[in-house]
Each structure stands twice: as C-alpha cells, then as structure tokens.
Amino acid sequence: MLQNTDFSVNFKALYLLMRLNRPIGFFLLWWPCVWGLLLAGSLKNIALPQWPLLLTVSIGALLTRTLGCIINDITDCRIDAQVERTKNRPLAKGSISLLQAKIVGATLAFGAFITLLFLPPQTYLIALIAAGLIVLYPFAKRFTSYPQVVLAFTMNMGLLLTYVGATGSLNIPISVWLAYCAAGAWTLGYDTIYAMQDAEDDKKLRIGSTALLGDTGAKRLILLSYTLSSLLLSLIPLFTEVSRNFISGLILWVVFLMWQFFRVIYKNDLTLDDLFHSNGYGAIFLGLAFGLLN
C-alpha cells in the first residue's frame, strides 16, 4: 500500500490511529479506575477525591488506551483491511506507515511508564500484569474463541491498580476482587455486543470472537455476563457492611444492564454501537454504589 506523506493527512491519520475520535474506549478504561478509588474511600476511610492520584491514573488510562489501540492496529492491520467496519483505519488503509505507528506507540509507552513513577511502588506489579495483558489481547483472537475474556481482565486492571495506589497495600480484600470480577463480566457482555457488528467478517476470516456463538448463543452470553456481574456485586454485603445507598446504586446498575440486554433482543432504533457507547454513561450507577458503599 502507498503511504501518503502529506503532513495534514498524516496528522489526521494519527488522530484516528489513537482513536481520539472515539473517547468511549477511554471512559471504559477510566471508570474502573474511579471505582477502585471509591472502593478505597469506602472500605478504608481514605479521604477523597485524592486529586493527584486521580489525575495520574486518568492520564495513565488515556495513554494506555491509545497505546492499546495502536498495538491492536499494528497486529491486526491485515485483518482490519478485510473487515467492513475497520477497513478505513489508518494502518489498514495505508494512510500512515507502520514505522510511524511504532514510533507513536513507543512514545505512548514511555509516557505511561513515566506516569507510573508517580504511583506507589506497590502498584508496579499490577501495572506489569496489565501491560502483559495489553500486549496479549490483540493475539487472543488467534488462539481462542473467547478473546473478550482476555479483554475483560485487561480493561479493569485499573480498579485494582487505583485501589492499591490509594491504600498503599497489596492486601486486596474480597469485596474489591468481587468488584473486579463483576466489572470483568460487564466487559465480557458489552464487548460481545460490540463484536456482533463484525460477526460475519470474523467468521469468514476464521478468527475468534464470542459473537460467533451464533445470534442466540451471543445473546445468552450477554445475559449470563450481565447476570454474573449483578450476582457478584450482590455478594459484597456478605464481606462488608453496606448502606441502603449501595443497594440503590446496585439496583440502578442491574436495571441498566437488563435495559441493554432487552435492547439487543428486540429490534429498535438503537444500533449495536449505540448500545456499546451507552456503557460510558451507565457506569455512573456502579460508581454511585461503590462511592456510597458504607
């Protein structure tokens, strides 16, 4: 493919490569960070909002999200060129060179490393695991039919990292692990909705995706994922004292997840991409629950 060397075109391609035109990815990575901070405040009586920590993890979330997108596009540029929804991405289209993408990716990785230095050393192990998952995820579709499971673990590492960053301890209580797993189940559900857009292309390319379980199978998985998320959160009162406010937030969360599921089941004016984007707003309900845990 010919590479366009015009600066303005490359600048636009860089903007698209970093997915700055689709901030939803940042918010889906950022919300778990906020949840981790809220859990630390509720469970350990840490004074919030902890602005320096919140600013640091927010910048880190932005850098790692854009880095993840670039790693994904470098890995999948040939696949993306054969998928209707992704064929116009900069690397797939050839509007930016592979070398340029690698340079930008390396710069973002360095920036993410610098932000990590502003966090307590206890977070470094979690950050290392998260980095490994970010690199692993683009390859997951090549060796498993459930790459969304890998994404579920990856997208919510910020919850653990921020909790540890706020408390300064790797002693993570069961309530936080339940929250992390519940967030992972949520991710599995919403990314299956997202992947359903590419089901036909993925089937032709023989790459793994939960959307390839078939229309009925994918919908069942979404229901199972959202039900599991709700059940895991409902177990938190068994391990820590909660207030009515937590219950109210949890109920709103369950209602939101079920609203999504029924929108997938019944044809309506909302596209699958619309439903995927709605998670950026629905996450507020879980934030309400965690912020008012006790």
Side-chain angles (χ1 to χ4, degrees):
M1 292 178 290
L2 295 176
Q3 302 293 332
N4 196 317
T5 57
D6 180 76
F7 179 78
S8 61
V9 174
N10 282 337
F11 185 80
K12 180 179 179 181
L14 179 62
Y15 176 80
L16 297 175
L17 178 72
M18 297 172 68
R19 304 287 202 283
L20 297 179
N21 60 317
R22 289 178 64 86
I24 180 61
F26 163 73
F27 285 112
L28 293 176
L29 196 64
W30 178 77
W31 268 114
C33 298
V34 174
W35 296 340
L37 187 58
L38 291 172
L39 284 166
S42 293
L43 296 173
K44 297 296 182 180
N45 295 316
I46 291 174
L48 300 180
Q50 295 285 316
W51 289 116
L53 176 60
L54 181 58
L55 178 61
T56 301
V57 297
S58 296
I59 294 173
L62 178 61
L63 293 173
T64 53
R65 187 266 172 155
T66 51
L67 172 61
C69 290
I70 291 175
I71 293 174
N72 185 77
D73 284 10
I74 290 174
T75 306
D76 287 349
C77 59
R78 293 184 179 180
I79 294 176
D80 287 344
Q82 302 176 66
V83 176
E84 183 62 30
R85 184 179 57 83
T86 61
K87 66 181 182 181
N88 289 319
R89 284 180 177 174
L91 277 174
K93 193 177 180 180
S95 54
I96 193 170
S97 71
L98 191 60
L99 177 61
Q100 288 174 317
K102 289 179 178 179
I103 291 173
V104 174
T107 303
L108 291 169
F110 180 73
F113 172 75
I114 294 300
T115 61
L116 185 63
L117 298 180
F118 289 89
L119 297 175
Q122 291 87 346
T123 62
Y124 296 172
L125 175 60
I126 295 176
L128 181 63
I129 295 172
L133 289 171
I134 290 171
V135 174
L136 174 65
Y137 170 65
F139 298 96
K141 65 173 69 72
R142 292 165 169 81
F143 61 80
T144 176
S145 298
Y146 302 91
Q148 282 78 10
V149 174
V150 179
L151 184 70
F153 286 107
T154 307
M155 289 292 290
N156 298 287
M157 289 297 294
L159 189 154
L160 300 178
L161 186 143
T162 308
Y163 179 86
V164 171
T167 61
S169 173
L170 281 168
N171 184 19
I172 302 173
I174 293 177
S175 297
V176 176
W177 284 112
L178 286 171
Y180 171 70
C181 292
W186 167 61
T187 300
L188 178 58
Y190 74 60
D191 202 60
T192 297
I193 292 175
Y194 186 70
M196 288 171 71
Q197 301 175 92
D198 302 330
E200 291 302 318
D201 289 317
D202 289 347
K203 186 176 181 180
K204 293 176 183 177
L205 294 168
R206 296 183 179 181
I207 56 178
S209 173
T210 51
L212 297 184
L213 295 172
D215 187 65
T216 300
K219 289 174 181 177
R220 285 177 178 172
L221 180 61
I222 295 167
L223 177 60
L224 177 62
S225 300
Y226 285 170
T227 301
L228 180 60
S229 178
S230 304
L231 289 176
L232 288 170
L233 292 169
S234 69
L235 294 177
I236 289 179
L238 297 178
F239 301 96
T240 187
E241 185 178 350
V242 301
S243 67
R244 292 180 180 178
N245 293 320
F246 171 77
I247 302 301
S248 298
L250 178 56
I251 290 173
L252 289 173
W253 176 251
V254 172
V255 170
F256 167 68
L257 294 183
M258 291 304 101
W259 170 81
Q260 272 196 84
F261 174 70
F262 284 114
R263 284 292 193 174
V264 171
I265 291 293
Y266 298 105
K267 302 299 181 181
N268 59 88
D269 56 338
L270 293 178
T271 65
L272 292 172
D273 197 51
D274 291 331
L275 290 174
F276 169 72
H277 273 75
S278 71
N279 287 279
Y281 304 101
I284 294 172
F285 299 134
L286 200 52
L288 173 65
F290 290 149
L292 301 171
L293 187 61
N294 295 320

